[in-house]
Amino acid sequence: MLDTALERIDVYRSWKACDPGPDHPIDVRYAAMPSLTKRDIREHFPQGLLPSGLDIDRGLADGHIELVSTSGTTDDSITNIWNQEWWDASERSSWKLNSHINNLVYGEHREAILANPRNTGFISDDADLPMDERRTSRFLYLNEKTDPTTWSEELMNRMVRELEAFRPEVLEANPSLLARLCRHIADNGISVFQPGAIVTTYEYMTKLECRQIRRAFGSPVISSYGTTETGYVFMECEAGRLHQNTDFCRVDFQPFKAEYGGPLLGRILVTPFDNKWCWYVRFDTGDLVRLEPSGRCPCGRNSGIILSSLQGRKANLTQTLAGRPVTLCEVDDVLSRLEGVTQYKLIQADHGEYELRLVSPLREKKHLVAEARRALKGIYGPDATVSIDFDTDFAPEESGKSLISRALIPIDVQSYLEQGQPL
Ligand SMILES: [Zn+2]
């Protein structure tokens, strides 16, 4: 893989100078390489990312591949070559990592999907689409609205009725949307069909959302991590750790320096395997993770990297007064504990300035404000300026995903990395 990339693919031409050579161990060679960024992909797409001789027009004409654009801002959005056959194989392989879903017959199971249609499914913001117009083969898309704050009670009741009628073995969900549906289900004492497993994906699931989902569903809730670029990379096992999908990708972990939360905290670079239409090497997915400290898992699976948690995206990082990075997961640990909060959003407006917005059904909010302020000062420092305001609801970002934390000041992740990893 690495040799083909270095020898035959344009985008890696400058990387050859970093290669210590084929007589060195493969891990050493990978570690010496830079990372592949979305910018590289944009600038070299498509032929500069493929081995010479591979004809993308023929692949498209044959129907083996199609082009897909990932959602996001202009800075973030890229076009990828989508290879369905490889994607399905990557997903099937990831299922081995959790016995709740590994028991299902892959490719024959009924699956309901609760996602933002900007990410997958059918968009219809004005008229409601009947169920048969939201079906494809064994899939049912429960939601056709791009803005879930417009969901009516009737629409959410329809989702509950459709789950009962469709009886999916797997419910794949964007956690912010599923939590919203679950608040409706629990608040109204509605009974709902329990699928064999709930797989959350597309977004980081907050502990608050997880609790809300648990109020409506007793099904196992399994976190699946992957990207359009890399396929399925990590899957949560029955013991709550995340295991690498080793047959389909290599993962290079780059730890942060100790003063920035390392060495268990770091970023990942992913190299997907065996997709002849995708030759990404050390692709920077923009996600941060925490390694399982023992390197082992009670479930007994021991191949590849084992994570204790996903930590959110680089874009979710904020910074303390002292300059330490704070991951979405760390923010979530304290904010999800606040009683009487249904949603939250934290923006770091400037150095030392934090704006927390909360949605809460409580009438008397004074105690909540004091507690939230105390929690944030506990993370960011006693001199942090914290403002707390209340909203009635939060719409998702233009990407279709919910925003939970973000800094408006630039944050240089490169400077956090141990040993000044090359760009
Ligand atoms: Zn495990």
Side-chain angles (χ1 to χ4, degrees):
M1 167 88 200
L2 185 59
D3 286 316
T4 307
L6 294 178
E7 292 303 324
R8 295 182 52 200
I9 301 179
D10 254 8
V11 70
Y12 304 110
R13 189 168 290 172
S14 64
W15 292 29
K16 279 179 82 168
C18 307
D19 185 12
D23 48 340
H24 285 74
I26 192 73
D27 287 345
V28 171
R29 296 182 67 199
Y30 267 93
M33 297 290 155
S35 63
L36 181 72
T37 63
K38 287 192 171 181
R39 189 175 166 181
D40 294 327
I41 295 176
R42 260 196 306 272
E43 286 176 1
H44 289 85
F45 188 86
Q47 217 55 53
L49 296 161
L50 293 171
S52 44
L54 192 59
D55 185 349
I56 183 172
D57 292 332
R58 177 169 295 175
L60 286 167
D62 290 350
H64 288 132
I65 49 170
E66 52 190 304
L67 300 182
V68 296
S69 292
T70 55
S71 52
T73 58
T74 328
D75 268 358
D76 218 33
S77 174
I78 53 175
T79 302
N80 284 289
I81 299 174
W82 182 262
N83 176 350
Q84 186 72 45
E85 201 182 329
W86 181 85
W87 180 265
D88 289 346
S90 163
E91 180 176 31
R92 186 185 305 124
S93 167
S94 75
W95 280 26
K96 286 188 303 219
L97 302 169
N98 187 300
S99 57
H100 294 301
I101 43 179
N102 195 32
N103 293 334
L104 300 172
V105 180
Y106 185 89
E108 291 177 17
H109 66 285
R110 283 181 311 282
E111 186 167 320
I113 298 169
L114 182 57
N116 193 304
R118 285 192 200 280
N119 302 139
T120 182
F122 306 93
I123 296 179
S124 181
D125 280 321
D126 298 330
D128 293 351
L129 292 179
M131 186 169 168
D132 60 3
E133 290 180 29
R134 286 176 281 108
R135 291 284 312 272
T136 59
S137 61
R138 57 196 173 80
F139 300 102
L140 167 65
Y141 293 89
L142 293 167
N143 170 45
E144 70 270 39
K145 312 294 179 196
T146 56
D147 181 357
T149 65
T150 65
W151 286 2
S152 64
E153 299 226 329
E154 175 42 37
L155 191 88
M156 289 187 274
N157 289 338
R158 183 195 79 183
M159 294 177 188
V160 172
R161 283 197 305 273
E162 290 185 356
L163 281 172
E164 188 63 49
F166 187 63
R167 307 185 81 74
E169 282 141 307
V170 173
L171 169 58
E172 181 179 277
N174 176 308
S176 69
L177 297 190
L178 184 57
R180 180 177 293 271
L181 176 62
C182 289
R183 293 196 292 272
H184 170 73
I185 290 171
D187 291 350
N188 294 284
I190 300 168
S191 87
V192 60
F193 173 77
Q194 303 286 314
I198 293 172
V199 178
T200 61
T201 185
Y202 309 112
E203 291 174 328
Y204 177 91
M205 176 167 63
T206 66
K207 289 149 197 95
L208 184 60
E209 288 163 348
C210 186
R211 274 207 311 277
Q212 292 167 355
I213 292 167
R214 285 263 167 254
R215 286 171 66 201
F217 289 99
S219 314
V221 177
I222 304 160
S223 173
S224 168
Y225 167 80
T227 71
T228 309
E229 294 82 11
T230 59
Y232 289 76
V233 180
F234 286 101
M235 174 67 87
E236 184 179 356
C237 73
E238 318 79 70
R241 313 297 195 280
L242 291 115
H243 293 270
Q244 182 189 339
N245 190 13
T246 48
D247 290 344
F248 277 79
C249 63
R250 172 189 173 90
V251 176
D252 288 281
F253 173 79
Q254 295 188 315
F256 281 11
K257 293 174 186 157
E259 63 266 40
Y260 296 129
L264 295 175
L265 174 67
R267 73 167 180 179
I268 50 170
L269 305 175
V270 181
T271 305
F273 295 152
D274 300 330
N275 181 351
K276 80 166 183 171
W277 296 100
C278 177
W279 291 82
Y280 295 169
V281 178
R282 286 165 63 87
F283 174 66
D284 182 359
T285 63
D287 291 283
L288 304 172
V289 302
R290 182 174 288 283
L291 298 181
E292 162 59 39
S294 68
R296 292 189 301 273
C297 182
C299 79
R301 296 179 185 88
N302 59 6
S303 65
I305 291 178
I306 303 175
L307 307 180
S308 63
S309 59
L310 299 167
Q311 292 277 314
R313 298 182 59 71
K314 285 193 291 194
N316 297 128
L317 280 176
T318 50
Q319 213 176 39
T320 66
L321 272 169
R324 180 179 68 81
V326 176
T327 64
L328 170 54
C329 183
E330 185 179 348
V331 168
D332 183 48
D333 280 340
V334 297
L335 293 183
S336 278
R337 244 184 266 145
L338 298 174
E339 292 291 333
V341 169
T342 50
Q343 299 177 69
Y344 71 81
K345 182 186 292 192
L346 178 73
I347 306 292
Q348 177 171 12
D350 207 337
H351 291 283
E353 285 180 28
Y354 309 87
E355 298 171 1
L356 178 65
R357 306 194 76 82
L358 299 171
V359 177
S360 169
L362 297 181
R363 248 184 295 172
E364 178 47 67
K365 299 183 171 73
K366 225 157 119 187
H367 178 71
L368 178 56
V369 168
E371 207 183 320
R373 177 164 287 121
R374 199 165 41 238
L376 290 179
K377 282 177 178 269
I379 294 181
Y380 293 105
D383 295 331
T385 307
V386 174
S387 71
I388 298 169
D389 290 296
F390 289 87
D391 281 313
T392 50
D393 206 348
F394 297 139
E397 302 259 83
E398 209 178 313
S399 65
K401 299 174 186 180
S402 71
L403 168 65
I404 309 170
S405 74
R406 167 176 297 168
L408 304 181
I409 53 171
I411 290 192
D412 176 20
V413 171
Q414 207 68 30
S415 68
Y416 302 145
L417 298 176
E418 190 63 82
Q419 291 168 357
Q421 299 280 351
L423 266 169

